Amino acid sequence: MKKRVIAIMITFALILISGVQASYAVSASTAELLEDKLVYHTEESDYISGDCVLSATRIMIRRAGIMNEDKEWADLTNEKLRPHATEDGLMHNCFSYTDDGITYSISTGTFEGEDNAARIKEFAELVRSHPEGVVVYGEGAAETGTHGVLLVDVVDGVVYAADTSNNMGDRNIGIQKWNDTTMLDPSLCTDYWYISEISIGGKPAADAQNERRTIPLMPNIFFA
């Protein structure tokens, strides 16, 4: 009898451990939401000329919010983000924004490679570390001139991005291949904005998520 109880305990523990491990992965519903075109849309009334980087940053934070179970991600607008992210129409190099108890710290970096291959390699390295995406920018980097978009992925050398030019007003295409956006050669991107830290309730997101997902591995069972 005692051996049977122990076996049941071990089985129960393994089931719970499997559940904990699975909870760390992006759920199917989250992955589906990240593909929703509405995540990437900007209302025309919420856009001021030159807001491309601000809009891309807003979308980046929205994606991070979705990944971190921020139920209010859709409420983030350019108007809300603008006072934190800009001054006199120019983006800050570093700033933070708090929403639904989650604080997003934004920092900047510069690219080093000289050609498209080098830049795409840098893109791939960045999105591996920042699955929520990275805002990439360059003077004369787009058909319209100076522009910034949200880089979201690189798959087999193919770059994917969300371009505000194609997701504003009556246009809402969502994520596109780089060549379908208004951007030109990737090498023309010189700078980027990224989320350097996410904290929930003052704690790093990973630690906060771990606490939120902590469950007992075994019930208290007393033997007679």
Side-chain angles (χ1 to χ4, degrees), residues 111-125 187:
F111 292 111
E112 298 179 356
E114 296 183 357
D115 58 17
N116 286 336
R119 186 68 75 253
I120 292 173
K121 181 179 179 181
E122 290 175 299
F123 282 1
E125 291 171 351
S187 61

Side-chain angles (χ1 to χ4, degrees), residues 6-7 11 23 66 86 98 101-102 114 126 130 167 169 179 187 197-198 205 209-210:
I6 292 173
T11 302
S23 68
I66 290 168
T86 70
T98 301
I102 305 176
E114 296 183 357
L126 281 170
H130 302 280
N167 289 284
N179 291 340
S187 61
E197 184 179 40
I198 300 175
Q209 294 285 13
N210 286 346

Side-chain angles (χ1 to χ4, degrees), residues 97-116:
Y97 177 78
T98 301
D99 185 44
D100 193 27
I102 305 176
T103 298
Y104 305 91
S105 298
I106 313 298
S107 299
T108 53
T110 56
F111 292 111
E112 298 179 356
E114 296 183 357
D115 58 17
N116 286 336

Side-chain angles (χ1 to χ4, degrees), residues 13-27 210 213 215 217:
L14 289 173
I15 292 171
L16 287 175
I17 291 172
S18 298
V20 172
Q21 290 175 335
S23 68
Y24 283 95
V26 174
S27 66
N210 286 346
R213 291 166 175 149
I215 55 177
L217 292 181

Side-chain angles (χ1 to χ4, degrees), residues 71-88:
K71 305 303 182 184
E72 300 179 6
W73 65 266
D75 295 335
L76 179 55
T77 62
N78 284 358
E79 183 180 3
K80 285 185 178 180
L81 186 59
R82 195 185 310 281
H84 305 271
T86 70
E87 185 173 352
D88 297 328

Side-chain angles (χ1 to χ4, degrees), residues 98-172:
T98 301
D99 185 44
D100 193 27
I102 305 176
T103 298
Y104 305 91
S105 298
I106 313 298
S107 299
T108 53
T110 56
F111 292 111
E112 298 179 356
E114 296 183 357
D115 58 17
N116 286 336
R119 186 68 75 253
I120 292 173
K121 181 179 179 181
E122 290 175 299
F123 282 1
E125 291 171 351
L126 281 170
V127 293
R128 273 198 295 270
S129 301
H130 302 280
E132 69 278 359
V134 175
V135 179
V136 296
Y137 160 92
E139 294 184 9
E143 298 168 1
T144 53
T146 299
H147 195 43
V149 299
L150 182 66
L151 165 72
V152 298
D153 207 356
V154 179
V155 180
D156 296 329
V158 179
V159 181
Y160 293 85
D163 186 345
T164 302
S165 297
N166 294 327
N167 289 284
M168 183 177 64
D170 59 357
R171 293 175 62 80
N172 191 193

